[in-house]
Amino acid sequence: MATTTSDYLVQRLYDWGVRRVYGYPGDGINGVMSALRKQVERVEFIQARHEEEAAFLACAHAKFTGEVGICIATSGPGAIHLLNGLYDAKLDHQPVVAIVGQQGTTALGSDYQQEVDLISLFKDVAHHYVHMASDPSQIRHLIDRAIRIALAERTVTCVILPNNVQEMEAVESPERKHGTTFTGLGFTRPDVIPARDDLARAAEVLNAGKKVAMLVGAGALGASEEVAIAADILGAGVAKALLGKAVVPDDLPFVTGAIGLLGTKPSWEMMMECDTLLMVGSGFPYAEFLPKEGQARGVQIDLSARMLGLRYPMEVNLQGDSLLTLRALIPLLEHKSDRGWRQGIEKNVREWWEIMQARAMLSANPINPQRLFWELSSRLPDNCILTCDSGSAANWYARDLRIRSGMMASLSGGLATMCPGVPYATAAKMNHPERTVIAMVGDGAMQMLGINGLVTISKNWKNWSNPRLAILVLDNRDLNQVTWEQRVMSGDRKFSGSQDIPPFPYARYAEMLGLQGIELDDPQLIGAAWDHALNADRPVVIDAHCDPDVPPLPPHITFEQAKGFMFSLAKGDPNLGGVIGQSVKQMMSTLLPRREE
């Protein structure tokens, strides 16, 4: 029997199937920490280095397991630190519950130390459910509702616990009288399938199309086979939003790869030329990379009605689970006998991979970052898990890595925040210790949070059945993505005062923590570095010294982008020579396959 409300809270988490929580202690959450200590064999507490890391760990837990992620923080400053990671979960539609401490109820309203209006603070990120306990009898329904709502709505919820309430005697079943409620455990996701008439209308649109393009996102994860079958019947190509990278493998000849600024030329060309668009489980935000309004007829599948018809004026909107909806739709689709459109897509894809190889193998000073990803691609272990940080690393992750069936992959999609790369990899490894995990992170994100995340890894890696975890650091001493955005979008020269970051010995630091480190500045040794990292007896950090002047070229360069770039060079960019040289080489590589032909 639980003795305190905190004991009962931990028991209730266990009853919901929670076996691991992530957090950082503090006096505002001491009661819960005491309860976790007493039940350490049932619910494992993972101590993060920072509450933001704890929230990222909980978000990744949800992404890579399908379970609810739980993060815990103390009152005031600890609760505030959670926010960025919680917004990452909210914008990527992941079920995460934040459990945070608060000052005692007797002190609230007195401007007490660390007193923050936490209900107001969390009201946006956890607007579906955020409540504070003021009586022990609330714990049962607060935890039950927070978890159930997080799972059902795929969102963030929050429970706030004043420290005196944490220590009160537990009430597992409140007195049966007016004003009490009795909640229960359990949630099973329902089968959501559109109406037959709507499926028939969608099939009519798709069957009439002669040039069908598909776009898949994270909502289509688990429907890989159905996506491929539908694409084959329709003679379609399949583009992928970043969060949908693992939906279909890149070895399928009709998969055009990523879409958007970080996307591929075949995806761009397919969207600009199609007459029909089928969007599955994606909230891809950049409408300029979708067909022009009126160019294509559209069908969209999404579990959330609020995401339907949001990016393109669809003719048929189907609210439903992607897997089940595609299964119901496929028998209504007609096989297209004219494969000219598909053949053209496959030709473009073949040429694009040649371009990617040519670009990756171009010389740089000292290492071309694309080559790091290209050399990794053919070495990816079966069923590995890939994580990536925001920044220029995401460009090469999106374009150069050819993902295979059975792999998992994720990054921060909706929020596109820095710093989740290492925490994501850590949570992936904790929940799938038998799988190799690979993180790809820029040096800006490593200095902001990643090096602290290495401490978390060093504390936990010996508990993993398979210790293989590789972290690639793109060490170019530049906040590279923003530098290029300054040049291209703002037409401004690089501002060294904001963009240059100090050197840091990532490999040596890893060795200080008992991990392995590889310092890499010779492109000829990239393959050997990956071979070692992917077969080591402990986690490995590869500190790869990269050329910051290699441009992350968009799939289509607009006049405004070209003008902005030229203006930035005219203003005397400090990296002028390297930028011009690398840009010319990268753009010339695009002509190689056609020139050879």
Side-chain angles (χ1 to χ4, degrees):
M1 295 288 290
T3 57
T4 69
T5 57
S6 296
D7 294 326
Y8 180 59
L9 181 147
V10 174
Q11 175 63 47
R12 203 65 175 176
L13 292 176
Y14 180 84
D15 292 342
W16 270 98
V18 174
R19 298 295 181 266
R20 181 175 289 121
V21 299
Y22 310 88
Y24 200 82
D27 62 352
I29 199 70
N30 272 349
V32 175
M33 291 298 152
S34 177
L36 285 166
R37 175 186 58 79
K38 288 182 280 188
Q39 301 192 53
V40 67
E41 299 298 327
R42 308 181 85 196
V43 179
E44 181 184 15
F45 176 73
I46 301 296
Q47 182 200 72
R49 312 274 61 75
H50 189 288
E51 291 88 354
E52 182 183 14
E53 182 193 12
F56 282 137
L57 288 164
C59 178
H61 180 107
K63 285 188 171 185
F64 293 125
T65 68
E67 303 168 355
V68 65
I70 308 289
C71 56
I72 299 178
T74 188
S75 58
I80 293 167
H81 282 162
L82 287 175
L83 286 175
N84 192 54
L86 292 180
Y87 273 103
D88 180 46
K90 177 186 177 181
L91 271 63
D92 281 356
H93 311 290
Q94 297 302 314
V96 170
V97 177
I99 298 173
V100 297
Q102 177 60 292
Q103 297 305 312
T105 55
T106 54
L108 294 179
S110 69
D111 278 347
Y112 204 76
Q113 185 185 36
Q114 295 189 338
E115 181 187 351
V116 173
D117 183 356
L118 295 180
I119 292 179
S120 296
L121 181 73
F122 286 93
K123 198 62 178 178
D124 180 50
V125 73
H127 71 271
H128 280 88
Y129 195 77
V130 51
H131 285 281
M132 183 176 72
S134 57
D135 187 277
S137 62
Q138 292 177 271
I139 297 299
R140 174 171 160 181
H141 69 254
L142 290 180
I143 293 300
D144 288 353
R145 297 205 71 209
I147 292 178
R148 184 176 288 110
I149 290 170
L151 289 168
E153 302 292 337
R154 300 174 186 262
T155 193
V156 173
T157 59
C158 178
V159 175
I160 302 165
L161 302 171
N163 55 29
N164 61 325
V165 175
Q166 296 173 40
E167 302 287 354
M168 291 179 180
E169 186 176 348
V171 177
E172 298 188 20
S173 183
E175 184 180 354
R176 190 173 184 276
K177 63 178 184 179
H178 184 73
T180 58
T181 187
F182 299 84
T183 56
L185 300 167
F187 171 76
T188 302
R189 195 169 302 283
D191 291 345
V192 183
I193 306 174
R196 290 182 182 178
D197 289 348
D198 291 331
L199 289 167
R201 289 196 302 121
E204 182 181 357
V205 171
L206 297 170
N207 290 334
K210 298 184 183 301
K211 300 177 180 180
V212 181
M214 293 180 66
L215 171 59
V216 298
L221 289 169
S224 177
E225 183 178 352
E226 287 72 19
V227 168
I229 292 172
D232 186 61
I233 294 172
L234 295 170
V238 181
K240 301 187 284 188
L242 271 181
L243 288 174
K245 185 173 180 65
V247 171
V248 283
D250 290 304
D251 51 15
L252 295 176
F254 53 85
V255 173
T256 62
I259 189 173
L261 284 168
L262 280 59
T264 71
K265 189 175 181 182
S267 292
W268 165 265
E269 292 175 337
M270 179 174 69
M271 290 297 167
M272 294 305 103
E273 297 171 11
C274 71
D275 64 14
T276 308
L277 173 63
L278 172 58
M279 187 183 295
V280 184
S282 175
F284 176 74
Y286 303 122
E288 67 269 28
F289 290 93
L290 298 177
K292 294 179 181 179
E293 186 173 5
Q295 169 192 322
R297 303 176 74 183
V299 173
Q300 184 177 358
I301 300 170
D302 204 288
L303 187 62
S304 173
R306 65 180 295 169
M307 300 304 294
L308 292 170
L310 182 62
R311 310 302 185 196
Y312 189 82
M314 299 294 179
E315 189 169 336
V316 182
N317 289 298
L318 300 175
Q319 183 182 3
D321 175 86
S322 294
L323 172 65
L324 299 177
T325 302
L326 285 172
R327 282 181 177 173
L329 182 62
I330 285 170
L332 307 179
L333 301 179
E334 299 171 358
H335 187 273
K336 297 194 185 300
S337 57
D338 184 350
R339 310 306 276 188
W341 168 249
R342 166 67 80 85
Q343 291 166 0
I345 290 171
E346 294 181 356
K347 177 176 180 293
N348 291 341
V349 169
R350 288 193 300 271
E351 289 184 352
W352 176 254
W353 285 119
E354 293 175 13
I355 290 170
M356 286 293 93
Q357 182 175 18
R359 288 182 181 178
M361 294 304 167
L362 292 171
S363 62
N365 183 26
I367 289 177
N368 180 346
Q370 294 166 105
R371 183 166 178 175
L372 292 161
F373 291 74
W374 184 264
E375 296 269 12
L376 168 63
S377 189
S378 61
R379 293 174 166 84
L380 289 174
D382 291 341
N383 299 316
C384 67
I385 302 177
L386 307 172
T387 72
C388 186
D389 224 296
S390 298
S392 60
N395 287 277
W396 321 128
Y397 161 87
R399 294 176 182 165
D400 289 271
L401 287 182
R402 303 179 78 159
I403 203 165
R404 301 194 305 276
S405 180
M407 297 179 181
M408 302 172 76
S410 196
L411 41 56
S412 177
L415 189 60
T417 180
M418 291 176 67
C419 299
V422 173
Y424 272 27
T426 306
K429 195 65 183 175
M430 288 178 174
N431 288 285
H432 300 281
E434 73 287 355
R435 301 174 77 154
T436 300
V437 178
I438 305 160
M440 293 143 278
V441 186
D443 49 5
M446 281 301 293
Q447 291 191 19
M448 190 180 289
L449 186 63
I451 55 177
N452 301 313
L454 293 181
V455 179
T456 305
I457 292 170
S458 72
K459 182 181 179 181
N460 292 279
W461 74 268
K462 292 181 181 178
N463 297 325
W464 302 335
S465 57
N466 168 7
R468 289 171 185 150
L469 166 62
I471 298 172
L472 170 67
V473 183
L474 301 184
D475 186 354
N476 53 29
R477 302 187 188 181
D478 180 53
L479 298 177
N480 200 235
Q481 187 82 348
V482 175
T483 295
W484 282 99
E485 288 170 347
Q486 286 177 349
R487 290 173 178 140
V488 175
M489 296 182 179
S490 301
D492 201 3
R493 54 174 288 183
K494 173 183 173 178
F495 175 28
S496 296
S498 76
Q499 298 309 108
D500 291 346
I501 61 173
F504 187 90
Y506 305 100
R508 281 182 286 150
Y509 180 71
E511 291 171 349
M512 288 173 58
L513 296 174
L515 312 177
Q516 286 192 18
I518 299 173
E519 190 159 3
L520 186 62
D521 58 12
D522 183 348
Q524 301 304 317
L525 299 178
I526 291 174
W530 277 124
D531 290 338
H532 179 83
L534 296 174
N535 292 283
D537 64 354
R538 65 193 60 201
V540 177
V541 173
I542 300 176
D543 181 357
H545 294 262
C546 298
D547 190 338
D549 297 334
V550 176
L553 294 175
H556 172 74
I557 299 175
T558 67
F559 174 74
E560 290 300 319
Q561 290 168 337
K563 184 173 71 172
F565 182 48
M566 295 305 297
F567 280 168
S568 72
L569 298 183
K571 293 176 182 178
D573 193 282
N575 294 44
L576 182 63
V579 167
I580 291 177
Q582 285 295 331
S583 297
V584 169
K585 286 199 290 186
Q586 291 287 317
M587 287 186 282
M588 287 298 293
S589 69
T590 304
L591 305 176
L592 287 177
R594 290 180 174 84
R595 187 177 67 187
E596 292 169 359
E597 186 177 289

